[in-house]
Amino acid sequence: MAPAPVHKPPVIMQVIPHLGAGGAEQGCIDVAAELVKAKAKAIVVSHGGMRIPELARLGVTHIDLPVDSKKPTTMYFNIGRLRRLIRDHHVDIVHARSRAPAWSCLKACEGTTAHFMTTCHAPYNIHDNSIKRFYNSSIVRGERVIAISNYVADYLKANYD
């Protein structure tokens, strides 16, 4: 009889600009805590913040990168940085929680086996600006998109199909 296949625990990397006070940050920490409880490897990438010690207490790996930046050059260089993390840590799912990091994450997942998902925490102002609409659309480009409420889901459906 053949030995049972060995399954590695899933590796989930959440990417959020900062770990300060706020609902998105709390959601990120809560998800990381549940992943650890479920024996998955949880990684959070952010550009720091006062809540990093909480991650350490939970057994979550934190990696500091400038994912808070909206500068196109920094976002571009974050693609390579994130792609290296995906490969080095054998990341299965990349979960972006903000628009700027979502662009870098989307591109970083290309050419890897990692799946890309996003969470939308609130509606964004569009004001008929096509550039802003395109920038905001990064949050709906995930293979899976989480809307934190029916209100946000309705907004995403109405504005981004």
Side-chain angles (χ1 to χ4, degrees):
M1 179 173 207
V6 177
H7 296 286
K8 80 171 186 73
V11 180
I12 292 81
M13 182 171 78
Q14 297 182 84
V15 184
I16 190 164
H18 286 100
L19 282 168
E25 294 82 352
Q26 186 63 54
C28 180
I29 291 168
D30 290 346
V31 166
E34 291 302 315
L35 289 168
V36 170
K37 282 183 191 174
K39 306 292 187 225
K41 180 175 179 184
I43 300 169
V44 173
V45 177
S46 78
H47 196 46
M50 65 182 184
R51 300 188 74 187
I52 291 172
E54 288 180 62
L55 295 177
R57 281 193 301 275
L58 294 168
V60 176
T61 300
H62 177 263
I63 299 169
D64 194 317
L65 287 180
V67 292
D68 61 328
S69 180
K70 295 177 183 175
K71 288 175 49 178
T73 53
T74 303
M75 291 168 62
Y76 174 79
F77 286 116
N78 281 341
I79 296 168
R81 295 171 181 135
L82 292 164
R83 187 173 287 142
R84 257 187 309 285
L85 293 176
I86 291 167
R87 290 190 172 135
D88 290 351
H89 292 274
H90 308 285
V91 173
D92 297 298
I93 298 172
V94 175
H95 182 174
R97 292 180 167 272
S98 186
R99 296 165 290 175
W103 282 113
S104 300
C105 291
L106 173 67
K107 293 300 181 184
C109 287
E110 291 177 359
T112 74
T113 58
H115 295 278
F116 175 61
M117 67 180 289
T118 61
T119 293
C120 184
H121 295 274
Y124 307 115
N125 292 330
I126 298 172
H127 302 297
D128 295 326
N129 181 329
S130 61
I131 294 170
K132 188 73 166 176
R133 178 184 285 287
F134 177 74
Y135 173 73
N136 293 345
S137 75
S138 67
I139 212 71
V140 297
R141 294 175 185 261
E143 294 173 49
R144 296 285 188 263
V145 177
I146 298 171
I148 64 152
S149 68
N150 288 334
Y151 176 74
V152 173
D154 291 344
Y155 158 80
L156 291 173
K157 288 175 193 170
N159 290 283
Y160 297 99
D161 295 326

